Amino acid sequence: MATAASPPVAAPVPPAARDRLRRAAALAPVLAVVALLLVPGGADGGTGGTGTVADAASGLLVLICLVRVVRDGARPLTRTAAVVLGLPVLGICLAAITSNDPASSLPGVARYVQVFVLVPAAVLLTVRDRRDFAVVAWALVGLALLQGAVGVAQYLTGTGASYRGEDIRAVGTFGATDVMGMATAVSYGLVAATGIALGSGPGRARTAALVCTGLLFLPLVLSFSRGAWIATVLACALQLLLAGPLRAVRVALAAGALGVVLVGGLGIGSEVVEERVASITRVTAAPDQSVTDRYTMWAAAGEMWRAEPLTGVGLKGFPRYRDAHASVALSSGGDTAGAGAGFHRQPLLSPHNMYLLVLSEQGLVGLLALAGSWAALLAGALRRRPGTASGPGPGPGADCALVATGLLVWQLVDFFYADIGGPSTVLMSVVLGLAARWSLAGVGVGRA
């Protein structure tokens, strides 16, 4: 009597493959936030604020992280890590409570807690070790390369955002209403690639990162963003100094030669770049209107703080009190056009300086709480750099230290020229969380 054939037995999944699958599943929410920033904005080329698919993905990331914490039933953060990440809540809530219009401040509370507390904490808890750290860092580089490629194509084909009457400004998929979006994404990728190239990882990874650094130089230049240029130069300079003076000299010479070839030799945006660089120091001698507007709004923010020094005028209060404190030199708004959008005036609703925005809306208490949290992260990153007593020593971890320190320095410098707003804000939250994973690894959820 014939016996029935037994069903085939599935081959066991190798442990290494299972580990890769688990890592991919754990990191998927973070990588989704980064990847969804490639989705173009609305019909006008941008969102003009929050509510993007990347923001929705960041909310899902926080929810997934919360479920994991509840399921594990363990305290996810030490007291030190919780204080550093939760410190901004003090100033945020106090400014909302003391606001003249608490109801209008509630959306600001949700936004600030999202981008400065919840999303960074979720990223910190999701990234488990150096391998996860490297995956997210390379995701930033990949996003920068794709956005930069779109930006360079916009410049070459004249389909970018309008700049001095020509549609040549590289803005990527962020559109004309968020001209800082692509510059921010490209800067993050360039700083992350520089940290990997200067680190102690595999030789092929360092070579690939060095190539990416060269590729990202051009779209950063074509963004015409003065604040991003300054922040990138300072962040990369610090990374080079931490990596060693001799290496810093070699890389600086190579970067200078690349800039001469691209801008000087090939003439890519040379006239516009030269004029843009010269305008950085042109404050009193015939400044352009954008410089005048910026310094006028900075002065208005200072006046608001002097009126309410401890708690500020309240979250979302700068637009409401701007005209009462600004001089007549302030224009009605900036012109935006190009990159698929029609011409319209973009209202000036913030001082384009994160420190002054927080000082005017949250007062001295809010600024000390928020800036104190950032300073603690930077101090932790510098304390744990290779070669220090508490760091991981020379060799392993150099790439993580350089990436985390570079990203934090870039953000803290850029905050002198920009503030939160637009689709790229959620990317900043991911960057802060990635940097916090390295800075707080010794006192948080385990060593990275």
Side-chain angles (χ1 to χ4, degrees):
M1 181 176 179
T3 58
S6 58
V9 179
V13 180
R18 288 200 302 269
D19 181 63
R20 285 194 295 269
L21 290 175
R22 284 195 298 266
R23 286 180 178 274
L27 284 177
V30 178
L31 300 180
V33 175
V34 177
L36 288 174
L37 285 165
L38 290 168
V39 177
D44 291 332
T47 64
T50 62
T52 65
V53 289
D55 277 302
S58 71
L60 183 61
L61 166 65
V62 173
L63 181 60
I64 292 173
C65 188
L66 179 61
V67 170
R68 289 175 180 170
V69 169
V70 174
R71 181 191 61 192
D72 294 341
R75 187 174 67 177
L77 297 172
T78 63
R79 185 176 302 172
T80 303
V83 168
V84 171
L85 289 177
L87 190 59
V89 178
L90 172 64
I92 295 169
C93 293
L94 183 62
I97 294 172
T98 59
S99 172
N100 293 328
D101 188 2
S104 65
S105 297
L106 288 179
V109 174
R111 185 60 167 168
Y112 271 84
V113 171
Q114 174 204 2
V115 300
F116 290 121
V117 181
L118 294 180
V119 175
V123 173
L124 183 150
L125 294 173
T126 302
V127 177
R128 297 177 297 175
D129 51 28
R130 290 187 182 123
R131 192 181 303 178
D132 288 353
F133 189 103
V135 171
V136 179
W138 276 109
L140 296 176
V141 177
L143 173 67
L145 288 171
L146 293 174
Q147 290 287 358
V150 175
V152 172
Q154 289 171 335
Y155 174 83
L156 295 176
T157 59
T159 57
S162 178
Y163 181 79
R164 298 300 175 92
E166 298 181 86
D167 294 342
I168 58 173
R169 187 168 191 174
V171 292
T173 64
F174 292 97
T177 57
D178 187 20
V179 293
M180 281 295 298
M182 190 212 74
T184 300
V186 169
S187 298
Y188 287 152
L190 196 152
V191 172
T194 301
I196 296 172
L198 297 173
S200 56
R204 285 182 296 181
R206 296 202 307 271
T207 302
L210 185 61
V211 172
C212 292
T213 302
L215 293 174
L216 291 172
F217 178 82
L218 181 57
L220 179 61
V221 170
L222 297 179
S223 70
F224 304 141
S225 173
R226 294 166 294 196
W229 293 347
I230 296 172
T232 303
V233 169
L234 293 178
C236 292
L238 178 61
Q239 288 177 312
L240 290 170
L241 291 176
L242 293 177
L246 183 60
R247 184 179 295 183
V249 173
R250 290 200 301 264
V251 175
L253 291 175
L258 179 63
V260 170
V261 171
L262 291 177
V263 179
L266 300 180
I268 300 178
S270 56
E271 295 181 2
V272 181
V273 171
E274 183 180 355
E275 186 277 333
R276 196 69 167 164
V277 171
S279 68
I280 294 176
T281 57
R282 196 184 304 143
V283 179
T284 58
D288 58 36
Q289 186 58 47
S290 65
V291 175
T292 301
D293 287 339
R294 178 161 301 187
Y295 282 92
T296 302
M297 290 189 295
W298 287 7
E303 291 293 333
M304 295 180 199
W305 169 67
R306 280 186 282 271
E308 297 287 346
L310 288 181
T311 58
V313 298
L315 295 175
K316 299 290 185 179
F318 183 88
R320 187 165 60 251
Y321 292 94
R322 182 200 63 185
D323 293 339
H325 294 87
S327 70
V328 294
L330 183 65
S331 65
S332 61
D335 299 338
T336 61
F343 174 84
H344 71 278
R345 297 283 290 176
Q346 186 80 4
L348 303 175
L349 303 178
S350 69
H352 295 288
N353 181 307
M354 190 65 203
Y355 303 106
L356 290 178
L357 176 64
V358 174
L359 189 63
S360 62
E361 293 189 342
Q362 302 180 37
L364 192 59
V365 175
L367 180 62
L368 291 177
L370 198 56
S373 175
W374 301 333
L377 293 179
L378 181 59
L382 292 172
R383 181 181 61 87
R384 299 196 63 242
R385 72 186 188 276
T388 58
S390 58
D399 45 359
C400 296
L402 292 173
V403 170
T405 304
L407 290 174
L408 279 171
V409 169
W410 187 95
Q411 193 60 69
L412 295 181
V413 173
D414 184 70
F415 273 157
F416 284 102
Y417 306 94
D419 47 48
I420 61 173
S424 59
T425 299
V426 72
L427 184 61
M428 178 206 67
S429 301
V430 174
V431 165
L432 290 177
L434 186 65
R437 185 61 185 91
W438 174 259
S439 301
L440 299 175
V443 297
V445 291
R447 295 188 65 84

mmCIF file of all heavy atoms in Angstrom, residues 389-418:
data_model
loop_
_atom_site.group_PDB
_atom_site.id
_atom_site.type_symbol
_atom_site.label_atom_id
_atom_site.label_comp_id
_atom_site.label_asym_id
_atom_site.label_seq_id
_atom_site.Cartn_x
_atom_site.Cartn_y
_atom_site.Cartn_z
ATOM 1 N N ALA A 389 38.522 59.979 28.305
ATOM 2 C CA ALA A 389 38.517 58.946 29.345
ATOM 3 C C ALA A 389 37.225 58.174 29.372
ATOM 4 O O ALA A 389 37.205 56.971 29.609
ATOM 5 C CB ALA A 389 38.774 59.606 30.710
ATOM 6 N N SER A 390 36.088 58.843 29.120
ATOM 7 C CA SER A 390 34.795 58.172 29.196
ATOM 8 C C SER A 390 34.297 57.728 27.842
ATOM 9 O O SER A 390 33.236 57.135 27.738
ATOM 10 C CB SER A 390 33.766 59.112 29.832
ATOM 11 O OG SER A 390 33.667 60.310 29.087
ATOM 12 N N GLY A 391 35.028 58.028 26.789
ATOM 13 C CA GLY A 391 34.615 57.634 25.452
ATOM 14 C C GLY A 391 34.977 56.197 25.192
ATOM 15 O O GLY A 391 35.617 55.514 25.990
ATOM 16 N N PRO A 392 34.615 55.644 24.016
ATOM 17 C CA PRO A 392 34.875 54.255 23.705
ATOM 18 C C PRO A 392 36.314 53.994 23.301
ATOM 19 O O PRO A 392 36.648 52.877 22.949
ATOM 20 C CB PRO A 392 33.923 53.990 22.540
ATOM 21 C CG PRO A 392 33.760 55.314 21.890
ATOM 22 C CD PRO A 392 33.826 56.322 22.995
ATOM 23 N N GLY A 393 37.184 54.997 23.321
ATOM 24 C CA GLY A 393 38.566 54.790 22.955
ATOM 25 C C GLY A 393 38.774 54.998 21.476
ATOM 26 O O GLY A 393 37.841 55.079 20.696
ATOM 27 N N PRO A 394 40.017 55.098 21.053
ATOM 28 C CA PRO A 394 40.283 55.282 19.635
ATOM 29 C C PRO A 394 39.853 54.062 18.850
ATOM 30 O O PRO A 394 39.986 52.933 19.289
ATOM 31 C CB PRO A 394 41.805 55.487 19.602
ATOM 32 C CG PRO A 394 42.307 54.838 20.844
ATOM 33 C CD PRO A 394 41.239 55.025 21.856
ATOM 34 N N GLY A 395 39.353 54.285 17.684
ATOM 35 C CA GLY A 395 38.910 53.167 16.854
ATOM 36 C C GLY A 395 37.409 53.067 16.838
ATOM 37 O O GLY A 395 36.724 53.930 16.293
ATOM 38 N N PRO A 396 36.816 52.009 17.444
ATOM 39 C CA PRO A 396 35.368 51.807 17.387
ATOM 40 C C PRO A 396 34.595 52.993 17.959
ATOM 41 O O PRO A 396 34.929 53.515 19.011
ATOM 42 C CB PRO A 396 35.167 50.542 18.241
ATOM 43 C CG PRO A 396 36.474 49.845 18.219
ATOM 44 C CD PRO A 396 37.509 50.925 18.151
ATOM 45 N N GLY A 397 33.598 53.416 17.232
ATOM 46 C CA GLY A 397 32.748 54.496 17.700
ATOM 47 C C GLY A 397 33.132 55.859 17.197
ATOM 48 O O GLY A 397 32.409 56.824 17.438
ATOM 49 N N ALA A 398 34.275 55.958 16.487
ATOM 50 C CA ALA A 398 34.685 57.276 16.004
ATOM 51 C C ALA A 398 33.687 57.834 15.016
ATOM 52 O O ALA A 398 33.390 59.034 15.023
ATOM 53 C CB ALA A 398 36.079 57.186 15.369
ATOM 54 N N ASP A 399 33.139 56.992 14.149
ATOM 55 C CA ASP A 399 32.170 57.474 13.171
ATOM 56 C C ASP A 399 30.899 57.954 13.859
ATOM 57 O O ASP A 399 30.362 59.010 13.518
ATOM 58 C CB ASP A 399 31.859 56.389 12.129
ATOM 59 C CG ASP A 399 31.624 55.027 12.762
ATOM 60 O OD1 ASP A 399 31.723 54.922 13.996
ATOM 61 O OD2 ASP A 399 31.348 54.077 12.013
ATOM 62 N N CYS A 400 30.400 57.216 14.846
ATOM 63 C CA CYS A 400 29.198 57.637 15.576
ATOM 64 C C CYS A 400 29.437 58.961 16.290
ATOM 65 O O CYS A 400 28.581 59.853 16.262
ATOM 66 C CB CYS A 400 28.795 56.571 16.598
ATOM 67 S SG CYS A 400 28.308 54.980 15.894
ATOM 68 N N ALA A 401 30.594 59.103 16.922
ATOM 69 C CA ALA A 401 30.894 60.326 17.656
ATOM 70 C C ALA A 401 30.965 61.521 16.719
ATOM 71 O O ALA A 401 30.423 62.587 17.014
ATOM 72 C CB ALA A 401 32.209 60.161 18.417
ATOM 73 N N LEU A 402 31.621 61.351 15.581
ATOM 74 C CA LEU A 402 31.772 62.462 14.644
ATOM 75 C C LEU A 402 30.449 62.829 14.001
ATOM 76 O O LEU A 402 30.153 64.007 13.789
ATOM 77 C CB LEU A 402 32.807 62.098 13.575
ATOM 78 C CG LEU A 402 34.247 61.969 14.075
ATOM 79 C CD1 LEU A 402 35.148 61.436 12.977
ATOM 80 C CD2 LEU A 402 34.759 63.303 14.585
ATOM 81 N N VAL A 403 29.639 61.833 13.670
ATOM 82 C CA VAL A 403 28.326 62.116 13.086
ATOM 83 C C VAL A 403 27.439 62.836 14.092
ATOM 84 O O VAL A 403 26.818 63.869 13.778
ATOM 85 C CB VAL A 403 27.657 60.812 12.607
ATOM 86 C CG1 VAL A 403 26.196 61.063 12.218
ATOM 87 C CG2 VAL A 403 28.407 60.238 11.416
ATOM 88 N N ALA A 404 27.363 62.323 15.323
ATOM 89 C CA ALA A 404 26.499 62.934 16.341
ATOM 90 C C ALA A 404 26.945 64.350 16.666
ATOM 91 O O ALA A 404 26.122 65.277 16.714
ATOM 92 C CB ALA A 404 26.495 62.073 17.603
ATOM 93 N N THR A 405 28.248 64.543 16.862
ATOM 94 C CA THR A 405 28.748 65.876 17.194
ATOM 95 C C THR A 405 28.530 66.843 16.039
ATOM 96 O O THR A 405 28.105 67.987 16.237
ATOM 97 C CB THR A 405 30.240 65.805 17.547
ATOM 98 O OG1 THR A 405 30.432 64.872 18.614
ATOM 99 C CG2 THR A 405 30.759 67.170 17.970
ATOM 100 N N GLY A 406 28.810 66.394 14.821
ATOM 101 C CA GLY A 406 28.623 67.258 13.662
ATOM 102 C C GLY A 406 27.186 67.673 13.458
ATOM 103 O O GLY A 406 26.893 68.845 13.184
ATOM 104 N N LEU A 407 26.257 66.738 13.601
ATOM 105 C CA LEU A 407 24.844 67.064 13.420
ATOM 106 C C LEU A 407 24.357 68.043 14.485
ATOM 107 O O LEU A 407 23.597 68.972 14.189
ATOM 108 C CB LEU A 407 24.006 65.787 13.459
ATOM 109 C CG LEU A 407 24.163 64.841 12.257
ATOM 110 C CD1 LEU A 407 23.390 63.545 12.495
ATOM 111 C CD2 LEU A 407 23.703 65.504 10.964
ATOM 112 N N LEU A 408 24.782 67.836 15.730
ATOM 113 C CA LEU A 408 24.366 68.748 16.794
ATOM 114 C C LEU A 408 24.924 70.150 16.577
ATOM 115 O O LEU A 408 24.200 71.150 16.717
ATOM 116 C CB LEU A 408 24.829 68.208 18.147
ATOM 117 C CG LEU A 408 23.971 67.113 18.779
ATOM 118 C CD1 LEU A 408 24.665 66.536 20.002
ATOM 119 C CD2 LEU A 408 22.593 67.644 19.154
ATOM 120 N N VAL A 409 26.199 70.236 16.226
ATOM 121 C CA VAL A 409 26.804 71.546 15.991
ATOM 122 C C VAL A 409 26.136 72.234 14.813
ATOM 123 O O VAL A 409 25.854 73.439 14.855
ATOM 124 C CB VAL A 409 28.324 71.401 15.775
ATOM 125 C CG1 VAL A 409 28.928 72.710 15.274
ATOM 126 C CG2 VAL A 409 29.002 70.978 17.070
ATOM 127 N N TRP A 410 25.872 71.477 13.740
ATOM 128 C CA TRP A 410 25.203 72.082 12.589
ATOM 129 C C TRP A 410 23.857 72.665 12.999
ATOM 130 O O TRP A 410 23.536 73.804 12.642
ATOM 131 C CB TRP A 410 24.980 71.044 11.489
ATOM 132 C CG TRP A 410 24.457 71.656 10.217
ATOM 133 C CD1 TRP A 410 25.181 72.054 9.152
ATOM 134 C CD2 TRP A 410 23.080 71.978 9.906
ATOM 135 N NE1 TRP A 410 24.368 72.614 8.181
ATOM 136 C CE2 TRP A 410 23.081 72.583 8.630
ATOM 137 C CE3 TRP A 410 21.884 71.823 10.562
ATOM 138 C CZ2 TRP A 410 21.899 73.025 8.009
ATOM 139 C CZ3 TRP A 410 20.709 72.273 9.958
ATOM 140 C CH2 TRP A 410 20.725 72.864 8.702
ATOM 141 N N GLN A 411 23.075 71.912 13.759
ATOM 142 C CA GLN A 411 21.752 72.386 14.138
ATOM 143 C C GLN A 411 21.810 73.595 15.047
ATOM 144 O O GLN A 411 21.051 74.560 14.872
ATOM 145 C CB GLN A 411 20.975 71.260 14.825
ATOM 146 C CG GLN A 411 19.500 71.532 14.988
ATOM 147 C CD GLN A 411 18.814 71.737 13.652
ATOM 148 O OE1 GLN A 411 18.678 70.819 12.862
ATOM 149 N NE2 GLN A 411 18.375 72.949 13.380
ATOM 150 N N LEU A 412 22.705 73.583 16.001
ATOM 151 C CA LEU A 412 22.801 74.702 16.941
ATOM 152 C C LEU A 412 23.291 75.972 16.253
ATOM 153 O O LEU A 412 22.873 77.076 16.621
ATOM 154 C CB LEU A 412 23.725 74.331 18.098
ATOM 155 C CG LEU A 412 23.233 73.187 18.999
ATOM 156 C CD1 LEU A 412 24.223 72.929 20.112
ATOM 157 C CD2 LEU A 412 21.855 73.484 19.570
ATOM 158 N N VAL A 413 24.163 75.833 15.249
ATOM 159 C CA VAL A 413 24.605 77.012 14.499
ATOM 160 C C VAL A 413 23.500 77.484 13.564
ATOM 161 O O VAL A 413 23.230 78.688 13.445
ATOM 162 C CB VAL A 413 25.891 76.697 13.714
ATOM 163 C CG1 VAL A 413 26.262 77.863 12.796
ATOM 164 C CG2 VAL A 413 27.044 76.404 14.669
ATOM 165 N N ASP A 414 22.842 76.551 12.896
ATOM 166 C CA ASP A 414 21.788 76.928 11.953
ATOM 167 C C ASP A 414 20.630 77.627 12.643
ATOM 168 O O ASP A 414 19.942 78.443 12.027
ATOM 169 C CB ASP A 414 21.282 75.680 11.223
ATOM 170 C CG ASP A 414 20.248 76.012 10.158
ATOM 171 O OD1 ASP A 414 20.628 76.610 9.124
ATOM 172 O OD2 ASP A 414 19.064 75.687 10.358
ATOM 173 N N PHE A 415 20.405 77.316 13.910
ATOM 174 C CA PHE A 415 19.328 77.959 14.653
ATOM 175 C C PHE A 415 19.543 79.466 14.803
ATOM 176 O O PHE A 415 18.613 80.183 15.165
ATOM 177 C CB PHE A 415 19.173 77.318 16.033
ATOM 178 C CG PHE A 415 18.267 76.116 16.040
ATOM 179 C CD1 PHE A 415 18.372 75.156 17.040
ATOM 180 C CD2 PHE A 415 17.306 75.932 15.061
ATOM 181 C CE1 PHE A 415 17.539 74.055 17.061
ATOM 182 C CE2 PHE A 415 16.478 74.825 15.061
ATOM 183 C CZ PHE A 415 16.587 73.884 16.064
ATOM 184 N N PHE A 416 20.746 79.962 14.547
ATOM 185 C CA PHE A 416 20.955 81.405 14.539
ATOM 186 C C PHE A 416 20.354 82.048 13.293
ATOM 187 O O PHE A 416 20.143 83.263 13.256
ATOM 188 C CB PHE A 416 22.444 81.737 14.604
ATOM 189 C CG PHE A 416 23.045 81.565 15.967
ATOM 190 C CD1 PHE A 416 23.807 80.448 16.269
ATOM 191 C CD2 PHE A 416 22.846 82.512 16.958
ATOM 192 C CE1 PHE A 416 24.365 80.278 17.522
ATOM 193 C CE2 PHE A 416 23.400 82.365 18.214
ATOM 194 C CZ PHE A 416 24.163 81.234 18.500
ATOM 195 N N TYR A 417 20.084 81.245 12.264
ATOM 196 C CA TYR A 417 19.579 81.773 10.998
ATOM 197 C C TYR A 417 18.237 81.169 10.587
ATOM 198 O O TYR A 417 17.694 81.545 9.557
ATOM 199 C CB TYR A 417 20.595 81.504 9.876
ATOM 200 C CG TYR A 417 21.973 82.021 10.188
ATOM 201 C CD1 TYR A 417 22.938 81.196 10.763
ATOM 202 C CD2 TYR A 417 22.309 83.344 9.936
ATOM 203 C CE1 TYR A 417 24.201 81.671 11.066
ATOM 204 C CE2 TYR A 417 23.575 83.833 10.233
ATOM 205 C CZ TYR A 417 24.514 82.988 10.795
ATOM 206 O OH TYR A 417 25.764 83.459 11.100
ATOM 207 N N ALA A 418 17.714 80.257 11.359
ATOM 208 C CA ALA A 418 16.464 79.590 10.983
ATOM 209 C C ALA A 418 15.750 79.131 12.246
ATOM 210 O O ALA A 418 16.318 79.127 13.343
ATOM 211 C CB ALA A 418 16.736 78.391 10.064
#
